[in-house]
Each structure stands twice: as C-alpha cells, then as structure tokens.
Amino acid sequence: MSNSQMILVAGPYRSGTGDDPVKLAANVRAMNETALTLFRAGHLAVTGEALALPLLETAGSTRPGDPLYDEIFHPIAEQLLSRCDAVLRIGGPSEGADRMVAQARAEGKRIYLSLSEIPAAV
C-alpha cells in the first residue's frame, strides 16, 4: 500500500520582493524545486501559484495585489489545500504561506516544516 501524499508547497511569493518580477519568479522556482523533490519521492506536490498564475494572466491581472489578484490568488490556494493531505511550509516570512499552515491545522492536515520530515512514498 502506498503512503503517497498530496502536499501543498507553501512559501513566500510576494513577501520581500517589492513585486519585482525577477524575485517573484525566484520564489516560484524555489517552490517548484521543492515540489519536484517531493514528486521524485513519490508524492503529488502542488503549488497554488501553478494554478493561480495562469488564471490571473487569463483574467487580465496587471500586477500582484490588483483586484483580480485578490479575487483569485489566495482563494485558489485555499481550495487546493482543502483537497491535499498535508502542507509543507518553506522559505522565509510569508503571510500567505502562514495562512496555509493555519488552514491546514484547522482542517486537521499534516504540517511539515522541512523536506526531511516527509517520508518517501513506498
């Protein structure tokens, strides 16, 4: 029997970036690299950004924090997390990532603070 988990990778997206596109992209890359490590360990790793960013572009969002961003970005992550088994919190300060941890705790999901805490799926 597999112990594969669906894990939301939650880390900083906007925090500390001044909304600089290069810094935003670096934060997304850090979450994607973590997700790849989890995938290679047999888990289904997801990020809210992977779903929200294409929708924001399609909706016509022009910048982080605009009304479309507020409508889509965090609500997508919150819905996604509700369908996950766990959350992995990575990176530095982030109000949004901390909200994901609080939601996971409220929903009784596993909370990981390090890749080393997560067993490989069998």
Side-chain angles (χ1 to χ4, degrees):
M1 185 172 215
S2 173
N3 64 346
S4 179
Q5 300 176 67
M6 185 171 168
I7 301 171
L8 178 76
V9 178
Y13 176 62
R14 292 181 70 191
S15 298
T17 66
D19 292 336
D20 176 335
V22 172
K23 292 178 181 177
L24 293 170
N27 284 343
V28 170
R29 178 146 184 101
M31 286 182 270
N32 287 340
E33 288 171 350
T34 300
L36 179 59
T37 299
L38 288 168
F39 173 76
R40 288 181 170 158
H43 301 289
L44 175 58
V46 295
T47 67
E49 288 75 8
L51 297 178
L53 293 176
L55 288 182
L56 287 168
E57 181 182 347
T58 301
S61 176
T62 57
R63 63 177 173 73
D66 70 11
L68 292 168
Y69 179 95
D70 291 340
E71 173 193 356
I72 296 169
F73 192 80
H74 287 293
I76 286 283
E78 291 163 0
Q79 288 182 40
L80 182 59
L81 176 57
S82 288
R83 288 155 178 80
C84 290
D85 301 304
V87 64
L88 169 60
R89 173 66 165 89
I90 67 165
S94 169
E95 181 182 325
D98 291 343
R99 283 175 48 191
M100 295 298 97
V101 170
Q103 178 183 334
R105 185 172 290 115
E107 293 180 7
K109 298 183 184 295
R110 293 179 209 104
I111 299 167
Y112 299 111
L113 302 177
S114 167
L115 274 170
S116 65
E117 297 176 5
I118 304 170
V122 181

